[in-house]
Amino acid sequence: MSLRKNVTRLGLSFSILALILCALPAWGKGPTEKSAPPNQTNQKYQIQNGRKVGSLDRVTAKLEVGGDLIFSTGDKIDRAKMSVVGQIVYDEKTLETSPDFAGKTVAARYYHNADAVIKVEKEGKKPVLRDQRHLIGAVVDGNRRTLFSPEGPLTREELELIDLQANSLLLDRLLPKGKIGVGETWKPTNALLATLLGVDEVQTSDVQCQLANVDAQSFLFEMQGEVDGLVAGIMTQIELKAKYRFLKKRNRIDWLGMLIKETRDVGHVGSGLDVVAKLDLKVAPLANSESLSDALLAEIDWNPDPEATPLCFEPKKGQWRFLHDQAWHQTGSSDQVGVLRMIDQGELIAQCNVTTLPQVDAGKIVSLEAYQEEIKKTLGDQFGQFVYAGQKANDHDYRVMQVTVDGTVSEIPIRWHYYLIANKHGQQVAFTFTVEQDLVERMGPADRPLIETFEFVEPEVSLKEEKTAKK
């Protein structure tokens, strides 16, 4: 059983946030909450949010998950026991916000910790955030949220490690609009729930929020209900219970506890889920953060185009890498091979296979004509006709051969885009993009950025090796 195969879309970016659903009453009051006096049921409260530009907070999130991954092997459905324990700690400075907290909110973050242990059966995995990627920009605009690093592209694994549900920039949107009394309820919009839970779309929901209690220090809210939604075109059912606290002296939500049970079907780019989990999120005021100084933040564009925040794909040994937009999802990887799938509006559009080839002498790299013959021989009866054949140089001045072929697989018309990339040292990598012919227009030029940004990674040279080379 391949761990990477079965936890591809898991990371810490879960739409699942509960470990023991019945545990809610035990911690529902939140940390250090005092006993509340009897409520004045006739009183109405106008709750004013105190977040403003320049607000600086320390956010601590603890996540525990347990349950089953569900995956198909041929005609059989299998299950694997899994668990996740994670903790994330970051400083967050608010840089932009809207008057009603429903528009765009922008923040700079510095992650002190981003730790997780993922176990599937007897295998374990510890995703990490590279040292050069601890500075993160966070943007919530409508129902779209974007995380990026001004220091360079994140990998998919890094993004999923830090892209928690209940994003701290969303907490303000959980407050009621207008005056409200104890026991009164309201419905959060489907768009807000989708953004909060990290799903692409909420189709139906009966989730309600309620002002549950008031005391001298705080307002306590509850949220619960069921959600039917879509993730990458796959159905997911979520049972949600949450409590969150608004602290009067800060005029801010300072704590949220959320429990979720999720059942998700097997998808195009990830396993199915049958899990429960628990999220505990605390937000505390921070007087100063050297990592988020005004001088540093002023030099950075914190409002990039979401389409201009690509991810970086790099195998474990780091022999090569390339950039891709977030429509491409990693579904498998080893030291020599990478597999990605392109998802658009929940539909599988194309697959990309990347394979490291043996290094050869620079003068022995195969010719374009010989490459075409190799492709034709490999496809066999599936081969139909060559659509295009040519060669050029990419952004790193590597030789790039491209061959486009039409053919059929089980009577389905298919188009393949083949690329062979080689540098002057004879290092070689092959890309194969596979797309059904009636989806060619929807794929468009989505293969080109991967090829244009591809680069071989120079091996790190030790200080000893460097001194030897200079002699």
Side-chain angles (χ1 to χ4, degrees), residues 53-356:
V53 172
S55 293
L56 185 61
D57 302 301
R58 170 67 56 82
V59 180
T60 302
K62 294 181 180 180
L63 179 65
E64 297 175 316
V65 183
D68 292 341
L69 295 178
I70 306 170
F71 51 96
S72 58
T73 54
D75 296 330
K76 185 180 178 182
I77 300 295
D78 290 328
R79 286 176 173 255
K81 292 294 181 183
M82 60 78 61
S83 67
V84 178
V85 177
Q87 177 167 300
I88 290 179
V89 180
Y90 57 88
D91 298 346
E92 180 175 80
K93 178 176 281 189
T94 302
L95 304 178
E96 179 182 338
T97 189
S98 59
D100 60 357
F101 301 96
K104 179 184 286 189
T105 306
V106 180
R109 295 176 177 174
Y110 185 85
Y111 283 75
H112 297 281
N113 292 320
D115 301 322
V117 177
I118 302 174
K119 293 184 179 179
V120 178
E121 297 293 351
K122 296 182 180 180
E123 297 186 54
K125 179 181 177 183
K126 294 182 178 181
V128 297
L129 192 62
R130 287 170 289 172
D131 291 341
Q132 302 84 4
R133 298 294 185 270
H134 283 237
L135 185 63
I136 297 292
V139 181
V140 174
D141 191 2
N143 62 349
R144 183 167 191 168
R145 57 188 197 178
T146 303
L147 295 176
F148 67 95
S149 174
E151 298 177 299
L154 299 166
T155 65
R156 173 71 68 177
E157 184 176 85
E158 288 173 322
L159 176 63
E160 294 189 345
L161 175 64
I162 63 175
D163 189 16
L164 288 170
Q165 275 75 1
N167 185 312
S168 51
L169 294 187
L170 292 170
L171 297 183
D172 310 303
R173 305 181 186 209
L174 296 178
L175 294 173
K177 308 241 185 259
K179 292 185 176 182
I180 190 169
V182 173
E184 293 185 351
T185 63
W186 74 97
K187 283 183 63 67
T189 66
N190 286 356
L192 174 57
L193 287 172
T195 312
L196 184 76
L197 297 173
V199 301
D200 298 330
E201 178 186 347
V202 169
Q203 295 183 316
T204 63
S205 164
D206 64 4
V207 173
Q208 288 192 330
C209 298
Q210 180 185 60
L211 175 56
N213 205 356
V214 179
D215 64 19
Q217 291 78 37
S218 64
F219 296 93
L220 183 66
F221 298 91
E222 295 182 353
M223 176 170 56
Q224 65 178 357
E226 298 183 1
V227 171
D228 289 333
L230 293 173
V231 178
I234 303 304
M235 285 296 302
T236 186
Q237 294 83 41
I238 297 171
E239 297 177 26
L240 165 66
K241 287 186 178 181
K243 292 189 177 184
Y244 51 100
R245 187 178 67 181
F246 182 91
L247 202 60
K248 292 180 178 180
K249 66 180 180 181
R250 288 196 62 208
N251 286 331
R252 292 281 302 278
I253 293 175
D254 75 322
W255 170 80
L256 177 141
M258 186 154 62
L259 297 172
I260 288 180
K261 182 180 187 301
E262 180 175 11
T263 304
R264 185 188 301 179
D265 296 337
V266 178
H268 301 302
V269 293
S271 309
L273 301 173
D274 186 0
V275 292
V276 289
K278 169 183 173 180
L279 175 71
D280 187 89
L281 186 72
K282 297 176 183 177
V283 182
L286 194 62
N288 182 53
S289 174
E290 294 182 2
S291 302
L292 298 177
S293 67
D294 291 339
L296 171 65
L297 302 187
E299 299 176 357
I300 298 171
D301 177 11
W302 295 101
N303 273 287
D305 181 349
E307 303 301 329
T309 54
L311 299 177
C312 177
F313 187 101
E314 185 172 344
K316 185 183 298 184
K317 289 190 176 180
Q319 302 155 302
W320 42 260
R321 59 176 168 245
F322 56 85
L323 304 182
H324 61 88
D325 70 36
Q326 297 190 23
W328 289 101
H329 298 262
Q330 179 181 336
T331 63
S333 178
S334 67
D335 293 341
Q336 304 294 325
V337 177
V339 181
L340 301 94
R341 286 183 172 180
M342 179 183 174
I343 305 296
D344 179 46
Q345 297 178 353
E347 187 173 358
L348 174 61
I349 304 300
Q351 178 163 309
C352 170
N353 289 58
V354 192
T355 306
T356 303

